């Protein structure tokens, strides 16, 4: 669980930003999105492979 303790003279906006940053680093939103629906393992592998191919094509295009 992510907790943020508000300082004495700390503005609420800054505390909210710290909370968002801690949630991002903890991966809470990423886990929630991943668990909203089921993806079969074979489909997950296919998606990973497609992303890797796109990434390599993008990196090769940047080199030229």
């Amino acid at each position: 669980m992510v907790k943020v303790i508000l300082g004495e003279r700390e503005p609420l906006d800054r505390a909210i930003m710290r909370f968002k940053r801690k949630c991002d680093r903890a991966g809470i939103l990423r886990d929630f999105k991943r668990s909203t629906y089921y993806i079969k393992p074979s489909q997950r592998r296919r998606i990973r492979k497609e992303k890797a191919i796109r990434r390599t094509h993008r990196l090769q295009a940047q080199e030229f």
Side-chain angles (χ1 to χ4, degrees), residues 17-31:
M17 290 302 293
R18 278 194 302 134
F19 176 75
K20 286 182 180 181
R21 203 174 315 126
K22 282 186 177 186
C23 285
D24 286 341
R25 289 182 183 158
I28 293 171
L29 193 61
R30 183 175 52 234
D31 290 340

Side-chain angles (χ1 to χ4, degrees), residues 25-50:
R25 289 182 183 158
I28 293 171
L29 193 61
R30 183 175 52 234
D31 290 340
F32 174 73
K33 286 181 180 179
R34 190 180 325 144
S35 65
T36 53
Y37 57 92
Y38 180 74
I39 299 176
K40 295 190 319 186
S42 59
Q43 189 176 5
R44 187 170 291 167
R45 282 191 298 269
R46 191 183 76 231
I47 291 170
R48 283 184 190 158
K49 190 183 292 187
E50 289 171 355

Side-chain angles (χ1 to χ4, degrees), residues 1 3 5 9 11 18 34 38 42 44-45 51 53 60-61:
M1 174 171 270
K3 293 183 181 181
I5 299 173
R9 296 190 177 251
R18 278 194 302 134
R34 190 180 325 144
Y38 180 74
S42 59
R44 187 170 291 167
R45 282 191 298 269
K51 283 184 180 182
I53 290 170
Q60 288 175 352

